[in-house]
Amino acid sequence: MQDGQLAQARYGSVLVAAAAVAFSTTGYFTRLIRLDVPTLLFWQGIFGGLLMLGCISLMYRGETITAFRTMGRSGIAIAILMALATVCYVVALRLTTVADVMSIAATGPFLSGGLAWLLIGEKEHWTTIVASVFALIGVVVMVEPGALGGHIAGAAMAFAMTFTLAVMLVIMRVKKSVSMLPASCLSAFLSSLMMWPASSGVIPSGGMLGELVLFGIVQFGLGQILFTIGARLIPALRTSLLNRLQTVLGPMWVWLAFGEIPRTNTLVGGTLVLASAITATLITQSLRPPTTLPRSSPLAPNPLAPNPLTPNPLTPRLARDEAPR
Protein backbone atom coordinates (compact mmCIF):
# COMPACT_ATOMS: atom_id res chain seq x y z
CA MET A 1 0.00 0.00 0.00
CA GLN A 2 1.19 3.52 -0.79
CA ASP A 3 2.15 5.79 2.10
CA GLY A 4 -0.70 8.18 1.31
CA GLN A 5 -3.29 5.42 1.38
CA LEU A 6 -1.86 4.05 4.63
CA ALA A 7 -2.02 7.51 6.17
CA GLN A 8 -5.66 7.84 5.11
CA ALA A 9 -6.49 4.45 6.64
CA ARG A 10 -4.90 5.43 9.94
CA TYR A 11 -6.61 8.82 9.87
CA GLY A 12 -9.98 7.16 9.23
CA SER A 13 -9.47 4.68 12.08
CA VAL A 14 -8.69 7.50 14.52
CA LEU A 15 -11.76 9.49 13.43
CA VAL A 16 -14.12 6.52 13.74
CA ALA A 17 -12.69 5.63 17.16
CA ALA A 18 -13.15 9.24 18.29
CA ALA A 19 -16.73 9.14 16.99
CA ALA A 20 -17.35 6.02 19.08
CA VAL A 21 -16.14 7.93 22.15
CA ALA A 22 -18.61 10.73 21.38
CA PHE A 23 -21.47 8.28 20.78
CA SER A 24 -20.64 6.46 24.02
CA THR A 25 -21.77 9.50 26.06
CA THR A 26 -25.41 8.67 25.33
CA GLY A 27 -25.87 6.84 28.64
CA TYR A 28 -24.28 9.69 30.59
CA PHE A 29 -26.55 12.35 29.08
CA THR A 30 -29.71 10.26 29.34
CA ARG A 31 -28.96 9.76 33.04
CA LEU A 32 -28.23 13.45 33.45
CA ILE A 33 -31.22 14.91 31.59
CA ARG A 34 -34.65 14.13 33.04
CA LEU A 35 -36.76 14.03 29.89
CA ASP A 36 -38.61 11.31 28.04
CA VAL A 37 -36.65 9.68 25.22
CA PRO A 38 -38.59 11.18 22.25
CA THR A 39 -38.25 14.70 23.65
CA LEU A 40 -34.59 14.11 24.42
CA LEU A 41 -33.86 12.94 20.89
CA PHE A 42 -35.92 15.76 19.40
CA TRP A 43 -33.72 18.42 21.00
CA GLN A 44 -30.61 16.35 20.40
CA GLY A 45 -31.28 16.39 16.66
CA ILE A 46 -31.97 20.13 16.68
CA PHE A 47 -28.74 21.12 18.44
CA GLY A 48 -26.64 18.49 16.68
CA GLY A 49 -28.01 19.58 13.31
CA LEU A 50 -27.25 23.22 14.08
CA LEU A 51 -23.63 22.32 14.92
CA MET A 52 -23.18 20.47 11.64
CA LEU A 53 -24.90 23.26 9.73
CA GLY A 54 -22.49 25.75 11.31
CA CYS A 55 -19.49 23.62 10.29
CA ILE A 56 -20.77 23.34 6.73
CA SER A 57 -21.36 27.09 6.58
CA LEU A 58 -17.78 27.81 7.72
CA MET A 59 -16.32 25.37 5.22
CA TYR A 60 -18.38 26.35 2.19
CA ARG A 61 -19.44 29.90 3.09
CA GLY A 62 -21.40 31.15 0.09
CA GLU A 63 -21.60 27.63 -1.35
CA THR A 64 -23.49 26.15 1.61
CA ILE A 65 -26.77 25.74 -0.26
CA THR A 66 -24.88 24.28 -3.20
CA ALA A 67 -23.28 21.70 -0.87
CA PHE A 68 -26.72 20.40 0.05
CA ARG A 69 -28.02 20.53 -3.51
CA THR A 70 -25.05 18.62 -4.91
CA MET A 71 -24.91 15.80 -2.35
CA GLY A 72 -26.93 13.73 -4.80
CA ARG A 73 -29.16 10.74 -4.34
CA SER A 74 -26.54 8.92 -2.27
CA GLY A 75 -26.44 11.83 0.19
CA ILE A 76 -30.22 11.85 0.51
CA ALA A 77 -30.16 8.08 1.03
CA ILE A 78 -27.58 8.49 3.81
CA ALA A 79 -29.74 11.13 5.51
CA ILE A 80 -32.85 8.96 5.40
CA LEU A 81 -30.98 5.86 6.62
CA MET A 82 -29.42 7.76 9.54
CA ALA A 83 -32.78 9.17 10.58
CA LEU A 84 -34.50 5.79 10.28
CA ALA A 85 -31.76 4.14 12.35
CA THR A 86 -32.30 6.70 15.11
CA VAL A 87 -36.05 6.10 15.16
CA CYS A 88 -35.64 2.31 15.07
CA TYR A 89 -33.23 2.50 17.99
CA VAL A 90 -35.66 4.47 20.13
CA VAL A 91 -38.61 2.24 19.26
CA ALA A 92 -36.56 -0.91 19.93
CA LEU A 93 -35.62 0.32 23.38
CA ARG A 94 -39.30 0.95 24.14
CA LEU A 95 -40.41 -2.51 22.96
CA THR A 96 -37.69 -4.71 24.42
CA THR A 97 -34.70 -4.65 26.76
CA VAL A 98 -31.41 -2.88 26.23
CA ALA A 99 -29.73 -6.30 26.31
CA ASP A 100 -31.81 -7.37 23.31
CA VAL A 101 -30.76 -4.31 21.32
CA MET A 102 -27.10 -4.69 22.28
CA SER A 103 -27.01 -8.34 21.27
CA ILE A 104 -28.58 -7.72 17.87
CA ALA A 105 -26.48 -4.61 17.22
CA ALA A 106 -23.37 -6.74 17.77
CA THR A 107 -24.07 -8.37 14.40
CA GLY A 108 -23.26 -5.03 12.73
CA PRO A 109 -19.69 -5.94 11.70
CA PHE A 110 -20.91 -9.11 10.01
CA LEU A 111 -23.73 -7.35 8.18
CA SER A 112 -21.62 -4.42 7.01
CA GLY A 113 -18.71 -6.65 6.02
CA GLY A 114 -20.98 -9.09 4.20
CA LEU A 115 -22.84 -6.35 2.32
CA ALA A 116 -19.56 -4.64 1.38
CA TRP A 117 -18.25 -7.93 -0.02
CA LEU A 118 -21.46 -8.71 -1.93
CA LEU A 119 -22.11 -5.22 -3.34
CA ILE A 120 -18.67 -3.70 -3.95
CA GLY A 121 -16.31 -6.65 -3.63
CA GLU A 122 -14.53 -5.24 -0.59
CA LYS A 123 -12.24 -7.73 1.16
CA GLU A 124 -11.07 -7.43 4.76
CA HIS A 125 -7.95 -8.81 6.43
CA TRP A 126 -8.52 -12.06 8.26
CA THR A 127 -7.45 -10.54 11.58
CA THR A 128 -10.34 -8.08 11.43
CA ILE A 129 -12.80 -10.91 10.77
CA VAL A 130 -11.45 -12.89 13.73
CA ALA A 131 -11.60 -9.76 15.89
CA SER A 132 -15.26 -9.30 14.91
CA VAL A 133 -16.01 -12.77 16.23
CA PHE A 134 -14.26 -12.06 19.53
CA ALA A 135 -16.06 -8.69 19.77
CA LEU A 136 -19.39 -10.47 19.29
CA ILE A 137 -18.46 -12.94 22.05
CA GLY A 138 -17.55 -10.01 24.30
CA VAL A 139 -20.91 -8.31 23.79
CA VAL A 140 -22.75 -11.59 24.46
CA VAL A 141 -20.81 -11.91 27.73
CA MET A 142 -21.82 -8.36 28.69
CA VAL A 143 -25.57 -8.86 28.33
CA GLU A 144 -27.85 -10.68 30.71
CA PRO A 145 -28.45 -14.43 30.27
CA GLY A 146 -31.37 -15.11 27.97
CA ALA A 147 -31.22 -11.61 26.50
CA LEU A 148 -32.51 -12.79 23.13
CA GLY A 149 -35.79 -13.90 24.65
CA GLY A 150 -37.39 -10.47 24.43
CA HIS A 151 -40.32 -9.22 22.40
CA ILE A 152 -40.27 -10.08 18.70
CA ALA A 153 -41.32 -6.59 17.63
CA GLY A 154 -38.49 -4.96 19.58
CA ALA A 155 -35.97 -7.45 18.21
CA ALA A 156 -37.21 -6.75 14.69
CA MET A 157 -36.74 -3.00 15.16
CA ALA A 158 -33.24 -3.54 16.57
CA PHE A 159 -32.32 -5.66 13.56
CA ALA A 160 -33.79 -3.01 11.24
CA MET A 161 -31.56 -0.42 12.92
CA THR A 162 -28.47 -2.62 12.54
CA PHE A 163 -29.20 -3.47 8.92
CA THR A 164 -29.91 0.18 8.09
CA LEU A 165 -26.56 1.27 9.52
CA ALA A 166 -24.78 -1.52 7.60
CA VAL A 167 -26.30 -0.34 4.31
CA MET A 168 -25.35 3.23 5.18
CA LEU A 169 -21.72 2.23 5.78
CA VAL A 170 -21.49 0.54 2.39
CA ILE A 171 -22.90 3.60 0.62
CA MET A 172 -20.42 5.84 2.41
CA ARG A 173 -17.56 3.59 1.34
CA VAL A 174 -18.71 3.57 -2.30
CA LYS A 175 -19.28 7.32 -2.52
CA LYS A 176 -15.97 8.40 -0.98
CA SER A 177 -15.61 11.30 -3.40
CA VAL A 178 -18.87 12.87 -2.25
CA SER A 179 -19.12 14.83 0.99
CA MET A 180 -21.61 13.19 3.35
CA LEU A 181 -21.53 15.87 6.05
CA PRO A 182 -24.52 17.71 4.54
CA ALA A 183 -26.36 14.38 4.56
CA SER A 184 -25.55 13.89 8.24
CA CYS A 185 -26.81 17.39 8.97
CA LEU A 186 -30.03 16.69 7.11
CA SER A 187 -30.47 13.41 9.02
CA ALA A 188 -30.29 15.27 12.35
CA PHE A 189 -33.22 17.50 11.43
CA LEU A 190 -35.10 14.54 9.91
CA SER A 191 -34.75 12.54 13.14
CA SER A 192 -36.08 15.51 15.12
CA LEU A 193 -39.01 15.79 12.74
CA MET A 194 -39.75 12.09 13.14
CA MET A 195 -39.62 12.30 16.95
CA TRP A 196 -41.62 15.54 17.19
CA PRO A 197 -45.12 13.91 17.26
CA ALA A 198 -44.08 11.67 20.16
CA SER A 199 -42.27 14.39 22.12
CA SER A 200 -43.82 16.11 25.12
CA GLY A 201 -43.46 19.61 23.70
CA VAL A 202 -41.45 20.72 26.73
CA ILE A 203 -39.34 23.80 26.03
CA PRO A 204 -36.13 23.46 28.08
CA SER A 205 -34.67 26.32 30.06
CA GLY A 206 -31.80 27.06 32.39
CA GLY A 207 -29.46 24.19 33.24
CA MET A 208 -31.48 21.63 31.28
CA LEU A 209 -31.11 23.70 28.13
CA GLY A 210 -27.33 23.72 28.58
CA GLU A 211 -27.32 19.96 29.10
CA LEU A 212 -29.34 19.43 25.94
CA VAL A 213 -26.99 21.67 23.98
CA LEU A 214 -24.02 19.61 25.15
CA PHE A 215 -25.88 16.41 24.36
CA GLY A 216 -26.61 17.51 20.82
CA ILE A 217 -23.15 18.95 20.19
CA VAL A 218 -20.95 16.27 21.78
CA GLN A 219 -22.90 13.05 21.34
CA PHE A 220 -24.71 13.68 18.06
CA GLY A 221 -23.13 16.57 16.16
CA LEU A 222 -19.46 15.90 16.85
CA GLY A 223 -19.96 12.15 16.70
CA GLN A 224 -21.65 12.33 13.30
CA ILE A 225 -19.00 14.67 11.88
CA LEU A 226 -16.13 12.39 12.91
CA PHE A 227 -17.95 9.22 11.89
CA THR A 228 -19.09 10.54 8.50
CA ILE A 229 -15.58 11.61 7.49
CA GLY A 230 -13.72 8.62 8.95
CA ALA A 231 -16.05 5.89 7.66
CA ARG A 232 -15.25 6.80 4.06
CA LEU A 233 -11.53 6.11 4.59
CA ILE A 234 -11.58 2.57 6.02
CA PRO A 235 -13.44 -0.67 5.16
CA ALA A 236 -17.02 -1.09 6.37
CA LEU A 237 -16.21 -4.08 8.58
CA ARG A 238 -13.42 -2.23 10.40
CA THR A 239 -15.65 0.81 10.80
CA SER A 240 -18.37 -1.27 12.41
CA LEU A 241 -15.83 -3.02 14.63
CA LEU A 242 -14.31 0.24 15.90
CA ASN A 243 -17.80 1.57 16.49
CA ARG A 244 -18.29 -1.25 19.01
CA LEU A 245 -15.98 0.66 21.36
CA GLN A 246 -18.99 2.66 22.52
CA THR A 247 -20.40 -0.57 23.98
CA VAL A 248 -17.44 -0.60 26.35
CA LEU A 249 -17.08 3.11 27.05
CA GLY A 250 -20.79 3.81 27.62
CA PRO A 251 -21.04 1.96 30.98
CA MET A 252 -17.70 3.42 32.06
CA TRP A 253 -18.88 7.06 31.81
CA VAL A 254 -22.01 6.25 33.86
CA TRP A 255 -19.89 4.44 36.43
CA LEU A 256 -17.48 7.38 36.80
CA ALA A 257 -20.21 10.04 36.90
CA PHE A 258 -23.00 8.34 38.85
CA GLY A 259 -21.24 5.52 40.70
CA GLU A 260 -23.06 2.75 38.83
CA ILE A 261 -20.54 -0.07 39.19
CA PRO A 262 -20.54 -2.36 36.15
CA ARG A 263 -21.22 -6.07 36.67
CA THR A 264 -18.36 -8.54 36.42
CA ASN A 265 -19.63 -9.88 33.10
CA THR A 266 -19.74 -6.30 31.77
CA LEU A 267 -16.09 -5.77 32.68
CA VAL A 268 -14.99 -9.10 31.18
CA GLY A 269 -16.98 -8.71 27.97
CA GLY A 270 -16.05 -5.06 27.60
CA THR A 271 -12.36 -5.83 27.95
CA LEU A 272 -12.68 -8.46 25.20
CA VAL A 273 -14.41 -6.01 22.86
CA LEU A 274 -11.84 -3.29 23.50
CA ALA A 275 -8.87 -5.65 23.10
CA SER A 276 -10.30 -7.05 19.86
CA ALA A 277 -10.78 -3.62 18.31
CA ILE A 278 -7.33 -2.33 19.30
CA THR A 279 -5.50 -5.50 18.26
CA ALA A 280 -7.21 -5.76 14.88
CA THR A 281 -6.56 -2.10 14.10
CA LEU A 282 -2.87 -2.27 15.02
CA ILE A 283 -2.24 -5.48 13.07
CA THR A 284 -4.15 -4.48 9.93
CA GLN A 285 -2.53 -1.04 9.85
CA SER A 286 0.97 -2.55 10.07
CA LEU A 287 0.33 -5.11 7.34
CA ARG A 288 -0.84 -4.78 3.78
CA PRO A 289 -4.44 -3.52 4.09
CA PRO A 290 -7.54 -5.08 2.57
CA THR A 291 -8.09 -4.70 -1.11
CA THR A 292 -11.18 -3.90 -3.09
CA LEU A 293 -11.85 -5.95 -6.18
CA PRO A 294 -11.60 -3.79 -9.29
CA ARG A 295 -14.91 -2.66 -10.67
CA SER A 296 -15.56 -0.69 -13.81
CA SER A 297 -18.83 0.56 -12.37
CA PRO A 298 -19.14 4.29 -11.68
CA LEU A 299 -20.18 3.30 -8.15
CA ALA A 300 -16.50 2.77 -7.28
CA PRO A 301 -14.77 6.19 -7.54
CA ASN A 302 -11.11 6.87 -7.03
CA PRO A 303 -10.40 6.59 -3.26
CA LEU A 304 -7.95 9.48 -3.54
CA ALA A 305 -10.47 11.79 -5.19
CA PRO A 306 -10.32 15.27 -3.63
CA ASN A 307 -12.82 16.06 -0.92
CA PRO A 308 -13.11 19.42 0.84
CA LEU A 309 -13.97 17.74 4.15
CA THR A 310 -11.11 15.24 4.23
CA PRO A 311 -7.56 16.54 3.60
CA ASN A 312 -5.58 14.24 1.33
CA PRO A 313 -2.28 13.29 3.00
CA LEU A 314 -0.65 13.51 -0.44
CA THR A 315 -1.74 17.13 -0.91
CA PRO A 316 0.77 19.86 0.00
CA ARG A 317 -0.06 21.98 3.02
CA LEU A 318 -0.62 25.08 0.91
CA ALA A 319 -3.21 23.30 -1.21
CA ARG A 320 -4.99 22.07 1.87
CA ASP A 321 -5.07 25.57 3.32
CA GLU A 322 -6.78 26.80 0.17
CA ALA A 323 -9.53 24.17 0.37
CA PRO A 324 -13.12 25.42 0.90
CA ARG A 325 -13.88 26.16 4.51
Side-chain angles (χ1 to χ4, degrees):
M1 176 186 249
Q2 298 177 355
D3 291 341
Q5 292 175 314
L6 182 59
Q8 280 199 343
R10 290 173 176 170
Y11 181 58
S13 297
V14 171
L15 290 179
V16 173
V21 175
F23 290 144
S24 70
T25 60
T26 303
Y28 169 78
F29 282 110
T30 53
R31 284 282 193 276
L32 182 67
I33 305 173
R34 301 295 182 178
L35 285 176
D36 59 279
V37 173
T39 304
L40 190 65
L41 291 180
F42 170 79
W43 290 107
Q44 175 204 46
I46 293 294
F47 292 123
L50 290 176
L51 172 66
M52 287 185 279
L53 182 60
C55 290
I56 295 172
S57 299
L58 290 175
M59 297 178 69
Y60 290 93
R61 298 185 180 180
E63 302 295 326
T64 299
I65 297 179
T66 303
F68 283 93
R69 294 178 58 184
T70 58
M71 65 183 182
R73 290 179 297 178
S74 59
I76 296 175
I78 289 289
I80 295 174
L81 289 171
M82 282 186 179
L84 286 176
T86 301
V87 173
C88 288
Y89 177 70
V90 174
V91 174
L93 289 176
R94 284 185 170 271
L95 295 178
T96 188
T97 64
V98 176
D100 277 341
V101 179
M102 289 176 60
S103 299
I104 296 172
T107 63
F110 302 99
L111 285 175
S112 59
L115 287 175
W117 174 65
L118 288 174
L119 299 179
I120 62 176
E122 184 174 85
K123 292 183 178 180
E124 184 53 89
H125 196 273
W126 67 268
T127 55
T128 305
I129 298 176
V130 173
S132 296
V133 176
F134 278 100
L136 176 61
I137 295 174
V139 175
V140 171
V141 171
M142 292 175 67
V143 301
E144 294 287 351
L148 295 179
H151 299 90
I152 296 178
M157 294 302 296
F159 179 80
M161 173 199 68
T162 307
F163 183 80
T164 299
L165 291 177
V167 174
M168 183 193 73
L169 285 176
V170 174
I171 295 177
M172 292 173 68
R173 280 293 292 166
V174 170
K175 293 294 183 179
K176 290 184 288 187
S177 62
V178 178
S179 172
M180 293 300 176
L181 186 55
S184 299
C185 179
L186 179 60
S187 75
F189 294 117
L190 281 177
S191 63
S192 291
L193 183 62
M194 291 179 181
M195 299 307 298
W196 174 61
S199 64
S200 63
V202 174
I203 300 178
S205 60
M208 181 174 290
L209 178 61
E211 294 166 356
L212 286 169
V213 170
L214 286 176
F215 188 25
I217 290 177
V218 175
Q219 191 275 339
F220 195 80
L222 183 60
Q224 290 288 5
I225 291 172
L226 296 173
F227 184 82
T228 300
I229 298 175
R232 295 184 299 108
L233 303 177
I234 58 177
L237 181 57
R238 194 181 308 168
T239 298
S240 188
L241 177 61
L242 286 172
N243 199 38
R244 294 273 70 77
L245 294 177
Q246 61 179 296
T247 308
V248 182
L249 297 175
M252 186 180 72
W253 304 139
V254 177
W255 169 47
L256 293 175
F258 303 102
E260 294 185 10
I261 302 176
R263 303 183 306 273
T264 301
N265 60 313
T266 300
L267 295 175
V268 174
T271 301
L272 185 57
V273 174
L274 185 61
S276 299
I278 294 176
T279 302
T281 301
L282 292 177
I283 293 178
T284 52
Q285 295 302 330
S286 62
L287 300 174
R288 182 178 180 179
T291 59
T292 301
L293 295 180
R295 293 286 183 93
S296 58
S297 168
L299 293 179
N302 182 0
L304 295 181
N307 189 304
L309 299 182
T310 307
N312 191 324
L314 299 179
T315 304
R317 179 179 300 275
L318 179 59
R320 292 201 304 264
D321 292 342
E322 294 174 353
R325 297 183 183 275

